[in-house]
Amino acid sequence: MKPAGVARILPVGMAIAAVFVLASWTHGFQAFTSFSAARVAAGPLPRPAPPLLVVDARGTRYDLAAPGPAFRLVQAMYLRCPDVCPIAMANLGQVQYALRDLSPGRVEVVSLSIDGDSPRDLLDRWRAHGSPEGWTMASLEATDGANAMERLGIWVYRRRDGLINHSTDMVLIDRAGRVVRVFRADGDPGVIAAEIRRLAS
Amino acid sequence: MKPRTLALAVAAATLIAPPIDAWLDRAMPRLLLVEMPAWLALGWLAARGRGDALRRWDPYGAAGLVLFLGTMWFWMLPRSVDLVGASPLANQLMHLSLLAAGAVLGVSLPAVPFVVRGALGIHAISMTFALGVLYTSYSALLCGTFDLAQQKATGRLLVGLSPVVLVAVVGWGALTLARSHRRREGAAAARQMPSAG
């Protein structure tokens, strides 16, 4: 092909290639951050929740994603988090308070540590929040914890300084063990609670 | 080896040296406002006065411009910035692609019409300011390998940088127009001048 022909085709071909690369990297222009990419990559809702083997503040071990009598609203956190987790947990606490008549029997709110926090430390934090019934604090036990969180749609990154950056989305698991809703941590607690109430009633 | 080539090779080797590269990658302002522009500038300088072969296949600079813009858009995505911190391979790919993007821009830009260059300049001003405002005001973390303090610091620096970009782009546009005006006046004067003999 002559250079003049290439000059006409090359920019168009490259523009198409650029759009293709950007579209695949952003999951069809839906995910521009690692947080949203993990959310989209986990798959459409509803989807089965991955096994989440945890130990709670009382030392009880169980699979958080196993089918059960209550909806579970799960949010990742770690106790030594200096910035985002306390704010996100405060919002989660407001959701739990708005749903207190349904918990713990029909709705259980779970702060899930991704840093292997001990039951004793979890219990201390739970007490610091006023020992709310229906708000469980648990620690992820699985050795492939990061993988399980990724499958849940939660992005986790361990920084060089020892801190952990992670999604603070609230993931709602229904009684059948399926992820049915994902709420943003900065969402209106009243709206989130109303939606969960509708689903759990 | 020519002095310019040697200087560019030394600069590239310095940027890629593990302690310096790691130091640049560790903080969001350094990565976005020092490392990325440095690789672009290296590519630009390396391509200055070269690129005849490329111009033959891309005489209007359109393909080069697409490559440059596509590369910039890719590396400005928060997810891509995270990849630089999380994967050494992605980090090296970023160096290479920005070097190439800078080189391609250096070759393509002179061939691009003034209006398109102006539009690019306006795009650069608006992106610098808009990204700065976004990073400063957004309360959630966008680039997940850094922290909110670094995100806000980057935003403040970008907002501070935007008037500089504005002055540079407007200054370049005014100078280019003035030069073009002088050339036109010179040509008109030459036409009006009575021929000798």
Side-chain angles (χ1 to χ4, degrees):
Chain A
M1 194 181 279
K2 288 180 181 173
V6 174
R8 276 196 291 271
I9 294 170
L10 198 59
V12 179
M14 288 186 66
I16 292 169
V19 169
F20 179 77
V21 169
L22 288 171
S24 24
W25 180 235
T26 59
H27 295 275
F29 299 106
Q30 292 182 81
F32 300 98
T33 64
S34 301
F35 306 104
S36 52
R39 198 183 304 136
V40 175
L45 301 174
R47 60 172 182 259
L52 295 167
L53 303 174
V54 302
V55 55
D56 68 12
R58 293 185 178 85
T60 311
R61 288 178 159 76
Y62 61 101
D63 179 4
L64 193 61
F71 277 70
R72 284 164 176 168
L73 185 65
V74 181
Q75 185 182 54
M77 62 91 187
Y78 64 109
L79 294 181
R80 62 193 173 90
C81 173
D83 41 39
V84 178
C85 295
I87 300 166
M89 283 174 78
N91 215 24
L92 186 71
Q94 288 185 50
V95 176
Q96 189 276 329
Y97 185 75
L99 294 168
R100 61 192 180 284
D101 57 310
L102 296 181
S103 61
R106 283 152 73 185
V107 176
E108 183 187 359
V109 167
V110 183
S111 287
L112 181 59
S113 169
I114 49 173
D115 197 25
D117 288 310
S118 70
R120 185 192 172 88
D121 292 339
L122 292 168
L123 190 64
D124 286 346
R125 183 62 60 93
W126 182 70
R127 284 179 177 146
H129 278 274
S131 310
E133 284 300 315
W135 187 353
T136 300
M137 300 214 179
S139 202
L140 195 64
E141 271 217 311
T143 48
D144 64 341
N147 189 20
M149 295 310 283
E150 198 175 298
R151 283 161 57 205
L152 194 63
I154 300 295
W155 188 73
V156 177
Y157 175 77
R158 285 185 181 272
R159 285 165 32 183
R160 291 187 188 96
D161 58 8
L163 297 180
I164 305 171
N165 286 353
H166 60 90
S167 314
T168 48
D169 289 340
M170 302 175 200
V171 179
L172 185 67
I173 301 172
D174 72 359
R175 297 184 188 103
R178 299 174 309 164
V179 176
V180 288
R181 292 285 187 280
V182 178
F183 302 103
R184 287 179 58 101
D186 58 355
D188 184 331
V191 173
I192 296 171
E195 175 66 358
I196 296 171
R197 182 179 296 280
R198 189 184 68 76
L199 291 166
S201 298
Chain B
M1 195 182 273
K2 288 180 184 172
R4 188 180 76 165
T5 314
L6 185 67
L8 290 172
V10 168
T14 308
L15 278 175
I16 216 164
I20 292 171
D21 186 31
W23 181 77
L24 288 168
D25 290 343
R26 244 194 322 272
M28 192 173 164
R30 292 198 292 262
L31 174 63
L32 262 65
L33 301 175
V34 178
E35 187 176 3
M36 288 187 174
W39 281 107
L40 280 174
L42 272 183
W44 174 287
L45 291 170
R48 253 179 66 187
R50 295 180 185 140
D52 288 341
L54 190 67
R55 265 193 289 272
R56 191 165 159 252
W57 297 99
D58 185 27
Y60 314 112
L65 217 55
V66 170
L67 183 69
F68 169 76
L69 287 173
T71 307
M72 291 310 294
W73 287 337
F74 183 85
W75 289 116
M76 292 314 287
L77 290 175
R79 194 181 175 205
S80 308
V81 175
D82 286 344
L83 201 62
V84 172
S87 154
L89 177 66
N91 188 23
Q92 298 307 329
L93 274 176
M94 180 201 67
H95 299 154
L96 209 64
S97 60
L98 289 178
L99 187 74
V104 162
L105 185 71
V107 173
S108 305
L109 210 56
V112 171
F114 173 77
V115 174
V116 178
R117 279 185 274 170
L120 262 184
I122 293 166
H123 178 69
I125 298 164
S126 56
M127 283 305 291
T128 308
F129 186 70
L131 262 183
V133 170
L134 177 73
Y135 285 151
T136 309
S137 58
Y138 204 61
S139 59
L141 203 55
L142 288 166
C143 295
T145 48
F146 300 105
D147 58 37
L148 268 176
Q150 291 188 18
Q151 183 169 299
K152 287 189 185 297
T154 309
R156 282 193 296 275
L157 286 168
L158 279 167
V159 169
L161 198 65
S162 56
V164 179
V165 180
L166 175 75
V167 168
V169 169
V170 171
W172 163 82
L175 278 176
T176 309
L177 285 175
R179 266 202 302 268
S180 161
H181 185 67
R182 271 201 303 275
R183 264 202 305 272
R184 273 203 305 273
E185 277 189 334
R191 274 200 300 275
Q192 283 169 3
M193 206 178 285
S195 55

